[in-house]
């Protein structure tokens, strides 16, 4: 005897109605086939499930226990079917999300908040790595989606969606002569010492700054290296040296550091991109990418307001978010 979902459903409905006629109407069938199905079930189990009376049926102790278990089996089956359909639609599942450290202060938290609100069925597992390592992990399937700063060397076999832009600003200790709030020309920094991110962290920002400094006629003077932005700002807060940081870090503020824009900051813009495997992979990844595009303004937040703690307002606005651009299978170095 095969315990099919239909047979279990027939018995559960009969157990609820305790009347063949009423149960048959609920099941959209006639009474004789229902009676025959229940008899086959009892013979197959070798157990009396019902006591027949002139007014209907009454469950035996074994019948009541079987009805409860059968109901749970049907609920589990329905839940499994519903879940697999939600996963196929991309509204449930697990996405392994990688990100570079400089995006962990603003963009990642906002993305996590939006995803939790809009896609509660999708669980995000986050991990922080360097851009090149994340690109390779996406390509190998160890990570489903990665947030990086372009360019990232070899992007063959990957889909690249540009999802945000961010300027670079200057962080100075309180009382520094350049901490008045006005945009600082790079040439004014030729005699300053800096703390920089230890490779591979913030590699794209460092490359932009190095190139801009050379164009301004000098080489950046590095006094120290740090593994993360918190440590870099620690050096600056102590008055040891200056540092360059993404503008969104300035939004978070620091009681011992002032952030000012750089003159010609339009040249010091990094592009934030999402890396994934081409279409046809996990539907949850496609859904998350669609969410990032649809709610890009919320994830990016309002135009960055790079103020120092003295309340100075820099000139200009952050680059406005353009439509998401998609690239496939090529380096963008």
């Amino acid at each position: 005897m095969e315990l099919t979902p239909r047979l279990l459903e027939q018995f559960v409905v009969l157990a609820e109605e305790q009347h063949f006629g009423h149960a048959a109407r609920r099941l959209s069938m006639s009474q004789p086939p229902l009676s025959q199905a229940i008899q086959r079930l009892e013979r197959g189990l070798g157990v009396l499930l019902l006591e027949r009376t002139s007014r209907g049926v009454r469950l035996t102790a074994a019948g009541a226990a079987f009805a409860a278990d059968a109901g749970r089996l049907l609920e589990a089956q329905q839940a499994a079917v519903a879940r697999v359909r939600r996963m196929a639609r991309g509204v449930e599942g697990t996405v392994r999300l990688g990100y570079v450290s400089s995006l962990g202060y603003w963009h990642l938290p906002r993305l996590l908040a939006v995803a939790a609100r809009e896609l509660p069925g999708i669980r995000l597992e986050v991990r922080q790595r360097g851009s090149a390592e994340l690109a390779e992990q996406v390509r190998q399937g160890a990570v489903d989606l990665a947030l990086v700063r372009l360019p990232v060397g070899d992007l063959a076999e990957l889909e690249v969606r540009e999802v945000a832009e961010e300027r670079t600003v200057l962080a100075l200790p309180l009382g520094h002569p350049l901490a008045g709030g006005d945009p600082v020309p790079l040439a004014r920094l030729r005699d300053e010492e800096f703390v920089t991110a230890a490779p591979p962290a913030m590699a794209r920002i460092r490359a932009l700054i190095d190139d801009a400094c050379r164009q301004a006629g000098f080489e950046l003077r590095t006094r120290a290296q740090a593994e993360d932005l918190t440590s870099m700002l620690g050096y600056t807060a102590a008055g040891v040296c200056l540092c360059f940081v993404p503008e969104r870090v300035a939004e978070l503020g620091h009681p011992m550091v002032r952030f000012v824009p750089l003159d010609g900051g339009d040249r010091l813009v990094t592009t934030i991109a999402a890396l994934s495997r081409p279409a046809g992979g996990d539907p949850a990844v496609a859904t998350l990418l669609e969410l990032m595009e649809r709610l890009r303004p919320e994830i990016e937040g309002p135009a960055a307001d790079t103020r120092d703690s003295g309340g100075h307002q820099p000139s200009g606005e952050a680059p406005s978010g353009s439509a998401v651009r998609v690239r496939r299978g090529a380096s963008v170095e």
Side-chain angles (χ1 to χ4, degrees):
M1 179 196 62
E2 183 180 1
L3 286 176
T4 64
R6 178 60 174 173
L7 182 56
L8 292 176
E9 179 189 20
Q10 290 171 340
F11 179 72
V12 168
V13 170
L14 179 59
E16 292 172 351
E17 295 292 339
Q18 297 195 20
H19 191 283
F20 276 101
H22 297 166
R25 282 193 292 273
R26 274 184 59 183
L27 293 164
S28 300
M29 62 187 301
S30 60
Q31 183 172 331
L34 175 59
S35 179
Q36 294 167 8
I38 300 304
Q39 289 173 5
R40 287 197 302 273
L41 175 62
E42 289 180 312
R43 287 197 300 270
L45 294 174
V47 174
L48 182 65
L49 300 174
L50 303 170
E51 294 178 357
R52 280 75 171 171
T53 69
S54 58
R55 294 186 177 183
V57 295
R58 186 167 52 243
L59 292 171
T60 64
F66 185 73
D69 290 340
R72 284 191 287 269
L73 284 173
L74 288 172
E75 289 175 358
Q77 181 194 50
Q78 292 164 1
V81 170
R83 181 169 185 266
V84 76
R85 287 174 176 170
R86 289 194 301 272
M87 293 183 71
R89 296 199 312 272
V91 296
E92 185 168 330
T94 298
V95 174
R96 297 162 297 175
L97 175 66
Y99 68 98
V100 295
S101 61
S102 61
L103 300 179
Y105 294 83
W106 179 275
H107 296 88
L108 177 67
R110 296 177 77 89
L111 172 59
L112 293 177
V114 168
R117 185 190 72 222
E118 300 289 327
L119 300 170
I122 293 182
R123 179 171 177 260
L124 296 180
E125 295 181 350
V126 299
R127 61 188 69 178
Q128 185 262 309
R129 299 287 190 277
S131 294
E133 182 179 357
L134 284 174
E136 184 60 26
Q137 287 191 353
V138 172
R139 189 162 30 242
Q140 297 298 326
V143 168
D144 302 307
L145 184 65
L147 297 179
V148 301
R149 292 185 189 271
L150 299 182
V152 182
D154 181 16
L155 293 174
E157 304 175 26
L158 297 179
E159 185 172 280
V160 183
R161 291 176 179 255
E162 298 176 7
V163 297
E165 291 182 327
E166 187 174 23
R167 288 183 179 179
T168 302
V169 298
L170 180 64
L172 309 101
L174 296 179
H176 191 282
L178 298 177
D182 295 327
V184 176
L186 277 174
R188 294 281 302 277
L189 304 175
R190 66 174 61 249
D191 297 324
E192 300 287 348
E193 291 185 319
F194 285 83
V195 54
T196 59
M202 295 175 59
R204 177 53 180 158
I205 293 177
R206 176 62 190 270
L208 277 177
I209 292 295
D210 284 344
D211 184 61
C213 289
R214 292 188 188 102
Q215 292 183 36
F218 70 98
E219 294 286 336
L220 193 70
R221 298 173 60 185
T222 299
R223 175 166 178 171
Q225 287 190 331
E227 293 185 351
D228 52 49
L229 281 167
T230 301
S231 300
M232 290 171 61
L233 290 174
Y235 274 101
T236 300
V240 176
C241 43
L242 283 55
C243 66
F244 296 103
V245 298
E247 65 182 340
R248 291 302 187 180
V249 174
E251 290 278 344
L252 304 178
H254 192 296
M256 300 174 65
V257 175
R258 290 193 174 181
F259 302 92
V260 298
L262 293 161
D263 191 13
D266 288 342
R267 294 181 291 111
L268 302 174
V269 175
T270 57
T271 298
I272 299 167
L275 308 182
S276 61
R277 289 181 294 283
D282 189 340
V285 174
T287 301
L288 190 59
L289 286 169
E290 185 278 330
L291 178 73
M292 293 168 64
E293 179 174 357
R294 178 166 53 87
L295 297 182
R296 172 173 174 167
E298 185 174 349
I299 295 170
E300 280 193 295
D305 181 13
T306 310
R307 298 176 184 268
D308 63 25
S309 57
H312 296 281
Q313 172 70 45
S315 59
E317 295 182 353
S320 59
S322 58
V324 172
R325 295 187 292 273
V326 179
R327 309 176 188 177
R328 290 185 178 86
S331 168
V332 290
E333 286 279 21

